[in-house]
Amino acid sequence: MASGDLTLSILGLLGRGPMHGYELKARIHGLSGHLRPVSDGALYPAIARLEKKGFVERHEEEGAGAARRQVLTLTEAGRRELLRRLREPADLDISDQTRFFGLLAFLSQLRDREAQARVLRRRLAFLETPASFFYEDGRPLRAEEVGDPFHRGMLVVARAISVAEREWLREAVAELESAPAGARPE
Amino acid sequence: MASGDLTLSILGLLGRGPMHGYELKARIHGLSGHLRPVSDGALYPAIARLEKKGFVERHEEEGAGAARRQVLTLTEAGRRELLRRLREPADLDISDQTRFFGLLAFLSQLRDREAQARVLRRRLAFLETPASFFYEDGRPLRAEEVGDPFHRGMLVVARAISVAEREWLREAVAELESAPAGARPE
DNA sequence: ACTAACATGTAATCTGTTACATGATTGA
DNA sequence: TCAATCATGTAACAGATTACATGTTAGT
């Protein structure tokens, strides 16, 4: 998980409801298709940082069986921060596949459909700029010009990704722009 | 660019021939489709680390016009390190799209076709394990079960990526296994 | 003379990894 | 009782970002 992602994941998951650190860890793990074990050494310091900034509150859980469970709750400031990050993502969140997916996972929490569409349009615009994987002498190579078979594979796959994602984005934007139906909270 | 990628990129580019830092920077930038400006604060320390490990040698360029240019050359140990990284990639290099592409960019330098095929087969095996984007209650959700439209988009796109990449990988593996033709150095 | 591109570096700060450390609860 | 899972943390270290700092060369 690239830098900064963890913070958004924590805010986004807590945006759905309070939970404790260990559950957060399991959910983040599930979010990524079990690819990346979230290390404790990243998670707990990240929570502590968010607490220090006043985005998260922590309460020792009483009653329930387990020991030392600390229930984490998003504060009002925390929710504002989450919405801000969803509404105005950094360029890197738009251009990087993994990070963009990290955004998508929580975008429904941004209730404003026009704001959601704006985010998708930014991604679409990025995918539509003619950027390719190999620049040589200043301009992108076309697949036929690529001798290296592995480079050719990169181009072929990158193309397919771009086509599939653009198709979905166009449908989703149209859907958001048309009806006041369909956008569900989770 | 995720951690560790920079080092592989430097080794891989220098594996093609000596160049100085500034050119390295431009080439790395081009490799990624101009997405991520490589910061000086990452590049020069990375070069220094590689030099300290004996993988790279540095020679002040004489004669040529520009000032202070330092030509970087891969040492024998450096080339062994590059080949080792290409031949035995870490799990993360296989499971992460971006990192796997970072490998592919230099895989042709690993001359052994069987070793190349082994790397592609590892990626193929990874893509064929039934991992999805959303695990809930321990098992992956299918697209129809996903209510959130953005989550559905993630699934649809992830599926398309997987299909396209697997198709290319199968072709490429077959090609590598069959003929002793075609695998070109760059 | 000025600006853009070439060229190389350092420092403060942030975030992540791995390894270490601790302890409770649950089920076999 | 023993292992697995739940649960939370710290410390050493690695690598990245941004901002700062410096100087050359080539073109207008």
Side-chain angles (χ1 to χ4, degrees), chain A residues 32-90:
Chain A
S32 69
H34 292 320
L35 298 189
R36 44 198 120 191
V38 185
S39 62
D40 297 339
L43 181 65
Y44 291 105
I47 292 170
R49 283 194 299 273
L50 289 172
E51 199 190 0
K52 206 168 125 196
K53 286 178 188 158
F55 295 153
V56 162
E57 268 170 15
R58 186 193 300 241
H59 302 286
E60 199 92 14
E61 194 180 45
E62 304 140 39
R68 283 212 298 154
R69 268 185 170 194
Q70 320 224 335
V71 176
L72 307 170
T73 312
L74 206 59
T75 63
E76 259 320 297
R79 184 167 303 276
R80 277 197 302 277
E81 174 69 7
L82 170 60
L83 295 179
R84 194 189 60 72
R85 281 171 184 251
L86 294 173
R87 192 181 294 271
E88 298 149 25

Side-chain angles (χ1 to χ4, degrees), chain B residues 156-177:
Chain B
V156 166
V157 173
R159 229 64 118 178
I161 292 177
S162 183
V163 167
E165 192 176 340
R166 269 151 39 200
E167 193 186 318
W168 173 72
L169 282 168
R170 277 189 285 261
E171 279 169 28
V173 168
E175 171 76 19
L176 285 171
E177 282 169 343

Side-chain angles (χ1 to χ4, degrees), chain B residues 33-79:
Chain B
H34 292 321
L35 299 189
R36 44 201 116 196
V38 184
S39 62
D40 296 339
L43 180 65
Y44 291 104
I47 292 171
R49 282 194 300 274
L50 289 172
E51 199 190 2
K52 205 169 127 195
K53 286 178 187 158
F55 295 153
V56 162
E57 269 171 15
R58 185 194 300 240
H59 302 286
E60 199 92 14
E61 195 180 44
E62 304 139 39
R68 283 213 297 155
R69 268 185 169 193
Q70 320 225 334
V71 176
L72 306 169
T73 312
L74 205 59
T75 63
E76 260 321 297
R79 184 167 303 276

Side-chain angles (χ1 to χ4, degrees), chain B residues 51-122:
Chain B
E51 199 190 2
K52 205 169 127 195
K53 286 178 187 158
F55 295 153
V56 162
E57 269 171 15
R58 185 194 300 240
H59 302 286
E60 199 92 14
E61 195 180 44
E62 304 139 39
R68 283 213 297 155
R69 268 185 169 193
Q70 320 225 334
V71 176
L72 306 169
T73 312
L74 205 59
T75 63
E76 260 321 297
R79 184 167 303 276
R80 278 197 302 277
E81 174 69 6
L82 170 61
L83 294 179
R84 194 189 62 69
R85 281 172 182 250
L86 293 173
R87 192 180 295 272
E88 298 150 23
D91 283 344
L92 186 60
D93 292 315
I94 295 298
S95 60
D96 183 280
Q97 253 268 333
T98 310
R99 292 186 68 111
F100 183 67
F101 271 43
L103 255 193
L104 276 187
F106 304 111
L107 198 57
S108 61
Q109 290 187 58
L110 184 58
R111 288 308 162 71
D112 179 351
R113 300 178 128 239
E114 174 46 32
Q116 291 173 336
R118 215 148 41 225
V119 172
L120 300 194
R121 278 194 298 262
R122 265 183 76 191

